[in-house]
Amino acid sequence: MRIVLLGPPGAGKGSLAGLIKDMMGIVHISTGDMLREEMKKGTKLGLKIKGLVEKGALVPDEIVTELVEQKITRDPQLAKGYMFDGFPRTTQQAQELDRILVKVGKPLDFALYMEASLQMILTRLTGRRLCRQCGALFHLKNKPPQKVNVCDLCGGELYQRSDDNEQTIRKRMQVYETNTKLIIDYYAAQGKLRRVDGDKETIDVRDDLVTMLHEDKSYQNQRPSGS
Ligand code: ADP
Ligand code: ZN
């Protein structure tokens, strides 16, 4: 199954991706993570990306779609299916993705749109902490680690993303409002849009997801028998 996850920053797309990964065993690809990898390399491209990401601005479409195309055409892990998180973020990226997928003959199944209120988003993002070693997500209030600043899974150090401060969050929300909402219309017109409520508890989201995927015929056909 091939899915894109849509929704504002902090709507809970990361947790949703975790659920889907557990249910369907497909890989989760975040273009934000891919870009942060590129930033770490300290290349000229990495530095350019860093400047934009830290301002909360979008990285140019050409750069992002090039990275995505390489991933789709070269990474064997994606053969079983995948979900993109944080991509597409503009209508042009959505069109480019369709172009790539036509080329490889494997169209998208769904665009899952996760909605959430602004209040929920601010709370989620300012309290968010990540593990430096394994990337696990924690939250100061909603999912605190057992030991302060230490990952429950691997003992790694927790950190706060440099763009998870209030000023950058506001800017990211603005960028989201102007660009990304158009993509929702784009997938609605293709009949591929499905809505998930981001203000709900994880367990309820899981139930919604099960219902949705079971109602879908393409999922039924792909499901391994007996599950
Ligand atoms: P969030 O969804 O919490 O904003 P991401 O990790 O998805 O975080 O993205 C972080 C930053 O990386 C974005 O603010 C943007 O600068 C850049 N970025 C990620 N994905 C894209 C994309 N598809 N197009 C352009 N820029 C992107
Ligand atoms: Zn860890």
Side-chain angles (χ1 to χ4, degrees):
M1 176 166 291
R2 291 171 292 277
I3 302 174
V4 295
L5 304 175
L6 307 173
K13 294 191 298 283
S15 320
L16 178 67
L19 283 177
I20 297 176
K21 196 171 166 188
D22 291 345
M23 288 166 67
M24 320 208 38
I26 58 178
V27 286
H28 168 217
I29 302 153
S30 146
T31 46
D33 288 345
M34 286 168 65
L35 293 168
R36 281 185 288 276
E37 277 302 309
E38 211 55 51
M39 279 156 60
K40 269 198 238 158
K41 290 184 196 161
T43 56
K44 209 170 149 196
L45 179 65
L47 284 176
K48 182 176 174 184
I49 292 171
K50 189 168 195 272
L52 294 164
V53 168
E54 292 196 338
K55 274 195 302 197
L58 288 183
V59 174
D61 292 333
E62 309 80 65
I63 295 179
V64 181
T65 45
E66 173 67 26
L67 290 172
V68 165
E69 181 156 15
Q70 283 178 14
K71 191 96 191 157
I72 290 177
T73 53
R74 295 186 200 160
D75 189 338
Q77 268 197 306
L78 274 65
K80 271 204 300 179
Y82 51 79
M83 56 195 141
F84 270 110
D85 173 359
F87 177 87
R89 256 187 170 79
T90 64
T91 314
Q92 196 190 325
Q93 290 180 13
Q95 289 165 342
E96 284 290 306
L97 179 62
D98 275 344
R99 178 188 62 74
I100 296 165
L101 295 183
V102 164
K103 217 159 80 178
V104 297
K106 291 180 172 172
L108 205 67
D109 294 295
F110 290 124
L112 288 189
Y113 172 42
M114 195 154 207
E115 290 172 291
S117 61
L118 184 61
Q119 187 48 52
M120 183 64 100
I121 288 167
L122 281 173
T123 312
R124 281 213 179 119
L125 289 184
T126 50
R128 176 160 80 174
R129 297 293 183 274
L130 287 92
C131 173
R132 234 179 248 294
Q133 280 196 124
C134 74
L137 279 172
F138 295 88
H139 191 280
L140 296 184
K141 258 203 255 149
N142 306 336
K143 196 190 170 192
Q146 284 176 348
K147 260 201 257 165
V148 177
N149 274 332
V150 178
C151 175
D152 291 349
L153 303 179
C154 77
E157 184 199 359
L158 302 187
Y159 73 102
Q160 181 172 30
R161 264 171 50 176
S162 60
D163 59 349
D164 277 347
N165 63 78
E166 196 165 328
Q167 197 189 358
T168 311
I169 293 169
R170 272 179 211 284
K171 171 71 180 162
R172 279 154 69 200
M173 283 305 289
Q174 220 176 36
V175 167
Y176 168 75
E177 294 284 332
T178 48
N179 290 291
T180 315
K181 277 192 167 167
L182 296 171
I183 302 173
I184 290 156
D185 300 336
Y186 180 87
Y187 288 116
Q190 292 188 355
K192 290 185 177 171
L193 194 73
R194 304 287 183 279
R195 285 168 197 275
V196 179
D197 186 347
D199 286 343
K200 283 191 179 173
E201 298 294 325
T202 310
I203 186 87
D204 297 323
V205 170
R206 190 178 200 288
D207 288 348
D208 289 354
L209 210 58
V210 169
T211 312
M212 194 195 73
L213 294 175
H214 282 247
E215 276 167 5
D216 187 75
K217 270 183 85 189
S218 58
Y219 172 61
Q220 308 237 327
N221 293 339
Q222 281 180 23
R223 229 169 39 176
S225 57
S227 72

